[in-house]
Amino acid sequence: MTKKEIASYIDHTLLAPNAGIKQIIQLCQEACRYGFASVCVNPVYVSTCATELAGSGVKVCTVVGFPLGATTTVDKANEAVNAINNGADEIDMVINIGAAKDGRFSEVATDIMGVVDASKDAGKKLNKNIIVKVILETCLLDDNAIVSCCLCAKKAGADFVKTSTGFATPKGLDGNPLPNGASEHHVKLMKDTVGPDMKVKASGGIRSARTAVTMLEAGAQRIGTSSGVNIVDAWDESTQIVMSR
């Protein structure tokens, strides 16, 4: 796989709360230079990115209900529509994690559907096909809940399920931090659940070419990372990736 090919799987991400306009413009410039799939930014920077990336082929991705997923469905839907009207092409929404933890999956499904429907409708008005990715925050859920959430997202008509925000802070019984990003196990589980008609985005803690390979071979078809430049620069073009899932 060439450097250009691996770059096309990457959402070039900057979601830090202290990110400034100069960093966002640099992010867009890097995305154009490397040919990343998208830039993924907070909603406040969507219009800036839409201007910077106009005509480049790089998509503008933003986050909704981020990072907790604890706003109402109406708020999430309005946030998505506002972002689309400002130039967003892709919406990464966080599910109602508390509902998923409780096993209240009808509420999870309703929440996802509200954002998907609002996003798709807003896109139609602009003659755009809006991509919606559903962030599960897998580090906070068990496998059964992950499967159920994936099925909710599939039924709602979302385009992707996504592993993580990268902002969760799970802790073990001893109080020590636990991993909070993408894992090979979760990506495989998600892909097995949604099947060939839906895609998986792996995000959180993907900082090396080796980890990117692991996620793609596990079934991911998009990689969310703030280390995209380093991954592509270090990429060995002789790398063979088996993406048969």
Side-chain angles (χ1 to χ4, degrees), residues 5 9 15 17 25 31 36 46 49 54-55 65 103 123-124 126 130 143 147 157 183-184 203-204 212 215 224 235 238:
E5 287 171 333
Y9 287 96
L15 296 168
I25 291 172
F36 293 127
V46 164
C49 292
K124 285 180 182 177
L126 298 173
I130 302 299
D143 284 3
V147 168
S183 73
E184 181 180 7
S203 65
M215 297 304 162
W235 190 259
S238 68

Side-chain angles (χ1 to χ4, degrees), residues 140 169-178:
L140 300 180
T169 55
K171 294 181 180 180
L173 295 176
D174 58 3
N176 290 323
L178 297 173

Side-chain angles (χ1 to χ4, degrees), residues 167-242:
F167 284 77
T169 55
K171 294 181 180 180
L173 295 176
D174 58 3
N176 290 323
L178 297 173
N180 71 343
S183 73
E184 181 180 7
H185 167 72
H186 287 146
V187 170
K188 286 180 178 178
L189 177 65
M190 293 162 72
K191 186 58 184 174
D192 286 342
T193 302
V194 301
D197 298 328
M198 195 174 179
K199 297 179 180 180
V200 175
K201 176 176 173 180
S203 65
I206 303 171
R207 301 183 182 91
S208 69
R210 181 64 256 171
T211 305
V213 169
T214 298
M215 297 304 162
L216 291 172
E217 291 189 331
Q221 289 136 307
R222 195 76 71 86
I223 299 290
T225 179
S226 59
S227 301
V229 169
N230 292 338
I231 288 171
V232 174
D233 283 346
W235 190 259
D236 181 349
E237 294 199 338
S238 68
T239 301
Q240 299 296 313
I241 298 179
V242 180

Side-chain angles (χ1 to χ4, degrees), residues 102-206:
D102 286 346
R104 294 182 280 120
F105 295 110
S106 63
E107 294 181 35
V108 174
T110 298
D111 188 52
I112 297 171
M113 191 172 297
V115 176
V116 170
D117 288 349
S119 299
K120 298 293 184 179
D121 288 346
K124 285 180 182 177
K125 293 176 182 177
L126 298 173
N127 198 30
K128 292 173 65 174
N129 178 34
I130 302 299
I131 299 298
V132 180
K133 312 189 198 90
V134 178
I135 307 174
L136 306 188
E137 204 66 285
T138 50
C139 67
L140 300 180
L141 303 175
D142 62 26
D143 284 3
N144 289 333
I146 290 169
V147 168
S148 294
C149 289
C150 285
L151 294 176
C152 289
K154 186 174 184 178
K155 184 177 181 180
D159 301 281
F160 283 77
V161 282
K162 175 179 171 182
T163 58
S164 318
T165 66
F167 284 77
T169 55
K171 294 181 180 180
L173 295 176
D174 58 3
N176 290 323
L178 297 173
N180 71 343
S183 73
E184 181 180 7
H185 167 72
H186 287 146
V187 170
K188 286 180 178 178
L189 177 65
M190 293 162 72
K191 186 58 184 174
D192 286 342
T193 302
V194 301
D197 298 328
M198 195 174 179
K199 297 179 180 180
V200 175
K201 176 176 173 180
S203 65
I206 303 171

Side-chain angles (χ1 to χ4, degrees), residues 12 28 31-33 35-39 49 53-60 89:
H12 195 34
C28 293
C32 292
R33 184 162 68 250
F36 293 127
S38 80
V39 296
C49 292
L53 296 171
S56 70
V58 178
K59 303 298 184 182
V60 180
D89 304 293

Side-chain angles (χ1 to χ4, degrees), residues 73-114:
T73 301
V74 170
D75 286 339
K76 291 178 187 179
N78 287 339
E79 190 176 13
V81 170
N82 183 61
I84 291 163
N85 289 335
N86 285 336
D89 304 293
E90 302 187 355
I91 300 293
D92 288 17
M93 68 159 291
V94 186
I95 65 164
N96 183 336
I97 300 167
K101 290 282 288 184
D102 286 346
R104 294 182 280 120
F105 295 110
S106 63
E107 294 181 35
V108 174
T110 298
D111 188 52
I112 297 171
M113 191 172 297

